[in-house]
Amino acid sequence: MSSEMLPAFIETSNVDKKQGINEDQEESQKPRLGEGCEPISKRQMKKLIKQKQWEEQRELRKQKRKEKRKRKKLERQCQMEPNSDGHDRKRVRRDVVHSTLRLIIDCSFDHLMVLKDIKKLHKQIQRCYAENRRALHPVQFYLTSHGGQLKKNMDENDKGWVNWKDIHIKPEHYSELIKKEDLIYLTSDSPNILKELDE
């Protein structure tokens, strides 16, 4: 090497060394995954902020719900008839004539259903039961093939079903309770449309 080239070589190697030092410093300043300083994305940060706000406002939401319940209770009391005995929620059924029609809900397919559908079925049964109890001409209401997933779901989510009145809950299949010739099986798969009920 000539003496003229020597200083240029030393200068370039010094520049390389300085760049190497700068890169090492940058790497050391970046948070490492193992050190507990994981970088958080904007989406994760927004989620954390929303969750924190949700938890901070929990008491406020609870208070609003209480106020809403009180307001509704006052509204109900204002709407009550003056001769009412105070039992406005439980409507007294006058002139109830029980129908001779039997309505049977066949639960024998619950083993083919997923849990989501079982829960929906349970809600539908609750609604049918409540509507039949309020009706002026309630039908004879049966729940057959009651067991399996549906019974388990009802036991877990609605323990009061064992005290239901005006309903016959049977583990037997409907064919053991009613003759085939006295039966009309309602299903959404049928092409026939039922337009009227004949006792």
Side-chain angles (χ1 to χ4, degrees):
M1 246 191 233
S2 66
S3 59
E4 293 173 2
M5 295 201 47
L6 189 60
F9 175 74
I10 292 169
E11 283 177 22
T12 55
S13 63
N14 285 342
V15 170
D16 290 342
K17 283 181 187 175
K18 284 181 184 176
Q19 284 178 346
I21 291 168
N22 287 340
E23 288 172 5
D24 290 340
Q25 286 174 346
E26 285 176 11
E27 285 296 321
S28 66
Q29 288 174 356
K30 283 185 184 175
R32 291 193 182 101
L33 295 175
E35 294 175 354
C37 300
E38 286 187 33
I40 297 176
S41 68
K42 285 182 183 178
R43 185 177 288 174
Q44 287 172 327
M45 184 63 79
K46 284 180 184 177
K47 277 187 182 179
L48 288 172
I49 291 168
K50 276 187 180 179
Q51 187 177 2
K52 189 177 178 185
Q53 287 173 346
W54 177 262
E55 288 175 11
E56 286 172 354
Q57 294 173 354
R58 181 176 286 160
E59 287 300 317
L60 181 67
R61 287 193 308 274
K62 197 174 180 181
Q63 190 65 32
K64 281 184 180 179
R65 283 195 300 269
K66 279 185 181 179
E67 288 171 8
K68 189 176 179 182
R69 279 196 296 267
K70 283 181 184 176
R71 193 171 59 247
K72 283 191 175 185
K73 189 176 179 181
L74 285 171
E75 285 173 9
R76 279 197 307 269
Q77 286 174 349
C78 292
Q79 290 174 356
M80 272 183 5
E81 296 173 2
N83 61 353
S84 176
D85 60 353
H87 299 291
D88 59 317
R89 290 195 73 167
K90 292 185 179 179
R91 193 174 65 198
V92 179
R93 295 191 297 170
R94 295 181 190 93
D95 305 323
V96 173
V97 179
H98 289 277
S99 172
T100 57
L101 286 173
R102 284 179 285 184
L103 176 70
I104 300 173
I105 296 181
D106 177 20
C107 303
S108 62
F109 298 101
D110 81 334
H111 65 283
L112 301 171
M113 300 166 81
V114 295
L115 183 60
K116 181 180 169 186
D117 293 332
I118 291 287
K119 288 181 178 181
K120 284 182 183 176
L121 174 63
H122 179 202
K123 291 279 183 197
Q124 289 168 350
I125 290 168
Q126 284 176 316
R127 187 169 176 192
C128 290
Y129 169 72
E131 290 297 327
N132 193 50
R133 289 274 291 162
R134 287 192 207 109
L136 291 174
H137 303 290
V139 296
Q140 297 174 41
F141 194 35
Y142 287 81
L143 206 58
T144 62
S145 302
H146 185 252
Q149 291 188 83
L150 178 64
K151 185 178 183 303
K152 185 180 173 187
N153 187 65
M154 288 172 78
D155 287 337
E156 289 172 3
N157 300 313
D158 181 22
K159 292 181 175 71
W161 72 268
V162 292
N163 300 320
W164 285 359
K165 296 178 175 112
D166 301 330
I167 185 170
H168 308 281
I169 301 174
K170 307 284 184 184
E172 297 90 20
H173 194 262
Y174 69 87
S175 60
E176 296 175 37
L177 302 170
I178 190 168
K179 295 176 195 166
K180 192 174 181 180
E181 52 271 12
D182 295 339
L183 179 72
I184 298 172
Y185 201 104
L186 302 177
T187 174
S188 59
D189 299 324
S190 174
N192 305 316
I193 297 171
L194 185 69
K195 294 185 178 171
E196 60 181 47
L197 292 172
D198 183 4
E199 292 191 19

